[in-house]
């Protein structure tokens, strides 16, 4: 039964990742069919992100009332309906309306499954769970690419992904009783009925705000790296667009490989130390990346950043029940997810504005600041005085290690100001 449930959870997380890159993959073609302009994709993405944040904040209430199985079922059903609706859309306004259920479904299923795995399974399954999200995120564009090569048939791409998700809905519907059995066993074992902890109560728990800040910085940096690193290689390292695209993919390869490895390591290493070691490795890679090194060294450093950052997101989520209590974990994880999606929405936008003003060389520098703040925030959650002193020391060493780079690029004052504010 445990194996069957894990397979179902992994399938659901593949479903979560499938729609993530569909719009970007198809927009260059579909915008002409619906008489839209290039920048209109940003409005759709913004509504999806906002709806995801809202559903993440509502996840605790939904889980308490309906349970994980039903929330997951209806969330993926909502996503399925939205994607099939996309395939029939004839105008931009209809896409804006469909973006709402698409975002609502994504936020709820992410928070629901993450909380369920954190409560019921070991840390290795949380890391591998997010590997399966990566499989879905890669598969979606591949499906769309196939249909775009068939006479630019983007509608068939959306239908195909929608039908895959519908298959997952059927599996979830047929196994609802399995979810109930596991939740019933847990409630009976606890000896009392769990009272829901509201978001307002959860955010007052010591350490929760720092955990939210860590999630905001990490998820924002992950999304920003995926968006801007190819441009960084083109402008700052002088490589061709095709080479830059290939090099930027090393970041996600590092994440997937890192989550497989950290899944095995989690049986011997605590979530707290996985976060700590991952943060240090990520900062090390970014220190190399901001230096004036050849493009192939920078590509290797980007892989190191992905490898180091891999365990951070799943480890923070999996450590939540232990850090803040099982009763509060649905609300806290919902807050963490909302912060993560907020970061992935706002940070890439802010990074793009800064890069347009001061140059693409600012991209790895901002990523280093984000990783450093994330690292400091997680250490403050641990409330270890020695570890916090180590974090401050590391940040100071980062500042001292970059004077030549920052002076050479004529924005040392900006870097020192931002780091001084965070310290």
């Amino acid at each position: 039964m445990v194996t069957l449930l894990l397979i179902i959870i992994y399938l659901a997380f593949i479903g979560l990742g499938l729609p993530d890159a569909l719009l970007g993959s198809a927009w260059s073609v579909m915008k002409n069919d619906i008489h839209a302009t290039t920048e209109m994709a940003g409005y759709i993405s913004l509504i999806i992100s906002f709806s995801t944040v809202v559903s993440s904040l509502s996840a605790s209430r939904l889980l308490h009332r309906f349970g994980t199985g039903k929330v997951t079922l209806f969330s993926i059903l909502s996503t399925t309906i939205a994607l099939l609706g996309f395939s029939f859309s004839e105008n931009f306004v209809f896409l804006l309306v469909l973006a709402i259920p698409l975002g609502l479904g994504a936020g709820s299923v992410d928070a629901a499954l993450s909380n369920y795995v954190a409560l019921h399974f070991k840390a290795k399954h949380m890391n591998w769970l997010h590997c399966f999200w990566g499989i879905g995120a890669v598969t979606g564009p591949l499906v769309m690419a196939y249909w775009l090569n068939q006479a630019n048939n983007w509608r068939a791409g959306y239908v195909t992904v929608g039908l895959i998700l519908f298959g997952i809905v059927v599996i979830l519907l047929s196994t609802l009783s399995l979810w109930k059995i596991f939740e019933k066993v847990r409630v009976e074992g606890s000896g009392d009925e769990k009272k829901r902890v509201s978001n307002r109560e959860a955010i007052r728990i010591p350490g929760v705000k720092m955990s939210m800040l860590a999630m905001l910085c990490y998820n924002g940096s992950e999304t920003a790296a995926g968006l801007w690193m190819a441009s960084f290689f083109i402008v700052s390292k002088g490589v061709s667009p095709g080479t830059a695209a290939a090099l930027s993919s090393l970041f996600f390869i590092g994440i997937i490989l890192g989550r497989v490895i950290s899944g095995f390591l989690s049986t011997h290493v605590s979530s707290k130390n996985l976060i700590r070691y991952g943060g240090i490795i990520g900062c090390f890679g970014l220190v190399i990346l901001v230096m004036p090194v050849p493009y192939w060294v920078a590509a290797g450093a980007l892989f190191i950043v992905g490898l180091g950052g891999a365990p951070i997101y799943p480890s923070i989520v999996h450590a939540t029940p232990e850090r803040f209590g099982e009763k509060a974990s649905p609300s806290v994880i919902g807050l963490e997810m909302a912060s993560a999606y907020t970061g992935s929405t706002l940070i890439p936008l802010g990074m793009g504005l800064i890069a347009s003003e001061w140059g693409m060389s600012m991209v790895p520098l901002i990523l280093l600041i984000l990783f450093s703040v994330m690292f400091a925030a997680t250490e403050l959650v641990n409330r270890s005085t020695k570890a916090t002193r180590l974090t401050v020391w590391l940040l100071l060493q980062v500042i001292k290690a970059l004077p030549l780079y920052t002076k050479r690029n004529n924005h040392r004052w900006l870097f020192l100001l931002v780091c001084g504010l965070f310290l």
Side-chain angles (χ1 to χ4, degrees):
M1 292 176 66
V2 173
T3 302
L4 177 59
L5 182 58
L6 277 173
I7 292 173
I8 293 168
I9 292 173
Y10 288 152
L11 281 174
F13 239 70
I14 290 175
L16 175 65
L18 278 171
D20 281 4
L22 280 182
L23 182 65
S25 302
W27 187 249
S28 60
V29 175
M30 63 185 292
K31 68 177 183 179
N32 297 322
D33 290 350
I34 62 173
H35 308 293
T37 57
T38 301
E39 69 275 7
M40 287 182 178
Y43 301 129
I44 300 173
S45 179
L46 186 63
I47 292 176
I48 293 173
S49 299
F50 179 76
S51 301
T52 304
V53 171
V54 171
S55 63
S56 297
L57 293 173
S58 305
S60 173
R61 185 177 302 168
L62 293 173
L63 288 173
H64 187 264
R65 181 171 182 180
F66 300 108
T68 305
K70 289 182 180 179
V71 170
T72 303
L73 170 63
F74 286 106
S75 295
I76 295 184
L77 179 61
S78 172
T79 304
T80 303
I81 294 172
L83 291 179
L84 292 175
F86 266 57
S87 68
F88 294 105
S89 297
E90 297 291 344
N91 60 74
F92 175 70
V93 175
F94 194 38
L95 292 181
L96 292 179
V97 174
L98 291 170
I100 297 174
L102 185 59
L104 292 175
S108 295
V109 72
D110 196 355
L113 292 178
S114 295
N115 179 68
Y116 195 85
V117 173
L119 289 174
H120 293 259
F121 298 97
K122 295 180 180 179
K124 63 181 180 181
H125 295 296
M126 184 68 79
N127 284 280
W128 294 339
L129 184 70
H130 287 269
C131 284
F132 278 86
W133 170 86
I135 292 172
V138 171
T139 302
L142 291 178
V143 170
M144 184 59 72
Y146 171 81
W147 286 110
L148 289 177
N149 289 330
Q150 308 296 318
N152 290 330
N153 194 354
W154 61 269
R155 297 183 187 276
Y158 274 106
V159 170
T160 302
V161 175
L163 291 177
I164 294 173
L165 288 175
F166 183 74
I168 296 175
V169 168
V170 172
I171 294 173
L172 288 168
L173 182 62
S174 63
T175 56
L176 270 181
S177 59
L178 185 62
W179 297 83
K180 292 179 181 179
I181 290 173
F182 272 75
E183 292 180 343
K184 182 179 179 181
V185 168
R186 188 165 190 88
V187 171
E188 290 177 350
S190 66
D192 62 339
E193 184 72 19
K194 291 194 295 183
K195 180 179 181 297
R196 189 180 76 87
V197 176
S198 67
N199 290 338
R200 183 174 298 180
E201 293 170 327
I203 203 170
R204 293 174 182 169
I205 299 173
V208 169
K209 292 178 182 177
M210 285 295 102
S211 186
M212 292 171 62
L213 176 62
M215 291 288 276
L216 183 144
C217 290
Y218 174 75
N219 217 52
S221 64
E222 182 182 284
T223 306
L227 181 63
W228 295 114
M229 283 309 301
S231 299
F232 166 78
F233 278 110
I234 294 171
V235 175
S236 298
K237 302 301 178 182
V239 302
S240 66
T243 301
L247 294 178
S248 64
S249 69
L250 289 172
F251 177 69
F252 296 101
I253 294 173
I255 290 176
I256 294 173
L257 180 62
R259 284 177 179 166
V260 173
I261 295 172
S262 59
F264 289 106
L265 290 177
S266 63
T267 58
H268 306 286
V269 183
S270 66
S271 294
K272 177 177 70 175
N273 283 329
L274 281 174
I275 297 168
R276 179 176 293 156
Y277 300 149
I280 293 172
I281 293 171
C283 286
F284 173 74
L286 285 165
V287 168
I288 298 175
L289 199 60
V290 299
M291 297 298 180
V293 295
Y295 78 90
W296 55 271
V297 176
L302 183 61
F303 174 80
I304 293 173
V305 175
L307 195 69
I312 293 173
Y313 188 106
S315 295
I316 289 176
V317 175
H318 192 269
T320 296
E322 180 183 350
R323 284 173 165 172
F324 308 114
E326 293 186 5
K327 291 184 179 180
S329 68
S331 293
V332 176
I333 288 177
L335 291 170
E336 289 171 342
M337 295 294 173
S339 300
Y341 287 119
T342 300
S344 64
T345 302
L346 299 180
I347 287 177
L349 175 61
M351 187 178 292
L353 294 174
I354 293 174
S356 65
E357 182 69 24
W358 285 291
M360 293 305 299
S361 60
M362 289 295 293
V363 169
L365 197 59
I366 298 171
L367 291 175
L368 178 58
I369 294 171
L370 290 169
F371 255 71
S372 300
V373 174
M374 178 276 301
F375 185 68
T378 55
E379 292 297 342
L380 288 173
V381 174
N382 296 333
R383 294 195 173 277
S384 169
T385 304
K386 181 178 179 181
T388 303
R389 285 201 300 266
L390 175 64
T391 302
V392 175
W393 178 85
L394 177 64
L395 288 170
L396 289 172
Q397 297 310 307
V398 168
I399 294 174
K400 292 177 182 178
L402 297 176
L404 292 177
Y405 170 82
T406 50
K407 185 176 181 179
R408 178 174 174 269
N409 289 276
N410 198 31
H411 47 248
R412 180 181 181 182
W413 61 272
L414 178 63
F415 177 71
L416 293 176
L417 175 62
V418 175
C419 286
L421 289 173
F422 283 126
L423 287 173

